[in-house]
Amino acid sequence: MRFGLVVNPVAGLGGRVGLKGSDGAAVQEKARALGATPRASERAALALSELRSRLGGDELTVLTAAGAMGADAVAAAGLVPDVRYEPGDPTTPADTVRAATALAPQVDLLLFAGGDGTARDVLDAVGLTVPVLGVPTGVKMHSAVFGATPRAAGEAAALMAAGGVRLREAEVMDLDEDAVRTGRVSARLYGHLRVPDIPVRVQQRKMGSSITDPSAVSGIAAELAARQGPSGLLVLGPGGTTRAIAAALGADVPVMGVNVLTGDRRVAAADVSAAELEALVRASPAWIAVTPIGGQGFLLGRGNQQISPAVLRAVGRDRFVVVATEAKLASLGGRPLLVDTGDEDLDHELRGYLPVLTGHGKFAMYPVR
């Protein structure tokens, strides 16, 4: 089986610094000024390392683009890069389209490392002509074309190489990043790509959810307030559920940011970066509350990269709380909750069963993978 790889080198650059995306040269420049470092190539190499270990092919050749757009990741995984496209410097979305267009006729599976914007570029290049699979390296990744983690993407590619894996047409979704930065959440379906149909290893698309039980939200808010106490901090991840919880506590926070409330229900910090959040939780006792992404089940690693491994370790697992209404849990259809923090040791520590706070004094034990 012939594999191709295209890497968007700047995918995910804005995540840890709270920019809600990485589209556009101005946003990328701002992210770097805030101390962001690219990790797309590193995560692509992780996926390829998993693929290599499962296929046992030290001489496996991967068709790719030069440098940071693919060859660097292939070499880092101990594989042989066969360069078929030379990008410009700096690289642009047009390079992604051209690279994917060049590789598609020559491969059986095209891997790409990026986020929803990169998925749109791959869609423009190949449509339904070749199976693809995304290595998740972006900020949001609402589309249903990504592996659940980089290693899961490599595992799915290996399973496809072994044969017997069906394909499905999966949605390519994207948010308007400019609208999100002004507080408006506007998602759009752009089309479909063909991906391996492997549940859990390949993520579902993000689905909107409605807050159908105000009493449950009020109960969750009261439970969190009791835990937080008058002198602690409460860190709320993004989402409609957590925003409703903040409103029940008397605070108005952005729906897409990571926000921090004081013990007297004031907004201590809104839309924080990972560095700002780490400083806050190291200076004062804190709790973290996150809600699963509707349809996908992700707790960490999708749109909330500001809650970094360093922040999670500073707070401690016993002060990390998953919150969701019973209706939201039911919408997952029994699929597990997922974590992709970028720190494999931490992901492993979070595996197992976690109590999900569903109301005042109400919990449901739910699996995390």
Side-chain angles (χ1 to χ4, degrees):
M1 189 169 180
R2 297 172 300 172
F3 296 96
L5 174 70
V6 178
V7 176
N8 175 357
V10 296
L13 197 62
R16 291 278 167 87
V17 293
L19 296 183
K20 305 181 182 66
S22 307
D23 293 350
V27 173
Q28 294 158 18
E29 182 178 350
K30 183 177 181 180
R32 288 192 175 94
L34 291 170
T37 56
R39 296 193 63 198
S41 186
E42 174 187 337
R43 284 170 70 85
L46 192 60
L48 292 177
S49 295
E50 184 69 19
L51 173 64
R52 176 189 175 189
S53 70
R54 290 180 175 272
L55 292 184
D58 290 343
E59 300 304 319
L60 177 67
T61 298
V62 179
L63 279 63
T64 189
M69 278 201 71
D72 292 349
V74 176
L79 296 172
V80 180
D82 183 352
V83 174
R84 300 298 179 94
Y85 177 75
E86 294 282 346
D89 185 19
T91 62
T92 67
D95 284 305
T96 300
V97 174
R98 295 185 189 113
T101 300
L103 296 177
Q106 307 175 69
V107 300
D108 301 299
L109 177 65
L110 177 63
L111 298 165
F112 69 91
D116 288 327
T118 311
R120 286 173 54 187
D121 295 333
V122 172
L123 174 67
D124 290 341
V126 307
L128 298 173
T129 61
V130 63
V132 307
L133 182 59
V135 179
T137 63
V139 176
K140 307 174 298 292
M141 292 164 287
H142 288 178
S143 305
V145 298
F146 296 98
T149 65
R151 285 199 182 277
E155 184 180 1
L159 288 170
M160 188 170 170
V165 173
R166 295 183 301 176
L167 300 175
R168 64 179 174 89
E169 293 186 11
E171 300 91 341
V172 175
M173 309 284 296
D174 199 7
L175 289 178
D176 182 334
E177 290 187 7
D178 291 333
V180 167
R181 293 185 184 102
T182 62
R184 293 182 295 110
V185 180
S186 176
R188 175 183 167 188
L189 173 65
Y190 285 86
H192 295 78
L193 289 166
R194 294 167 64 215
V195 302
D197 186 10
I198 307 175
V200 180
R201 295 179 181 89
V202 179
Q203 72 178 42
Q204 303 293 310
R205 73 178 176 91
K206 197 271 185 194
M207 298 178 64
S209 59
S210 58
I211 308 301
T212 57
D213 190 349
S215 64
V217 171
S218 297
I220 292 171
E223 188 78 29
L224 289 174
R227 296 185 183 200
Q228 176 188 7
S231 61
L233 298 176
L234 176 60
V235 179
L236 293 173
T241 301
T242 46
R243 191 184 192 193
I245 290 168
L249 293 171
D252 183 21
V253 299
V255 68
M256 292 297 290
V258 174
N259 307 287
V260 185
L261 304 185
T262 62
D264 58 0
R265 314 299 173 253
R266 292 182 297 107
V267 179
D271 214 2
V272 293
S273 68
E276 292 168 333
L277 186 55
E278 185 178 352
L280 286 168
V281 301
R282 290 191 183 281
S284 178
W287 290 78
I288 296 175
V290 299
T291 191
I293 293 179
Q296 291 183 338
F298 272 99
L299 296 178
L300 298 165
R302 299 291 187 272
N304 60 4
Q305 287 92 340
Q306 305 95 309
I307 305 175
S308 66
V311 168
L312 289 162
R313 287 200 167 93
V315 171
R317 179 171 176 170
D318 58 337
R319 288 174 173 256
F320 174 71
V321 185
V322 181
V323 299
T325 62
E326 291 180 353
K328 188 170 191 179
L329 280 184
S331 72
L332 294 175
R335 293 189 302 275
L337 301 175
L338 303 170
V339 292
D340 180 20
T341 66
D343 182 322
E344 290 190 303
D345 291 337
L346 180 59
D347 290 348
H348 185 75
E349 292 172 20
L350 292 170
R351 289 177 63 179
Y353 279 81
L354 283 179
V356 179
L357 179 60
T358 60
H360 189 46
K362 295 182 178 180
F363 299 88
M365 297 303 294
Y366 208 90
V368 178
R369 295 185 183 175

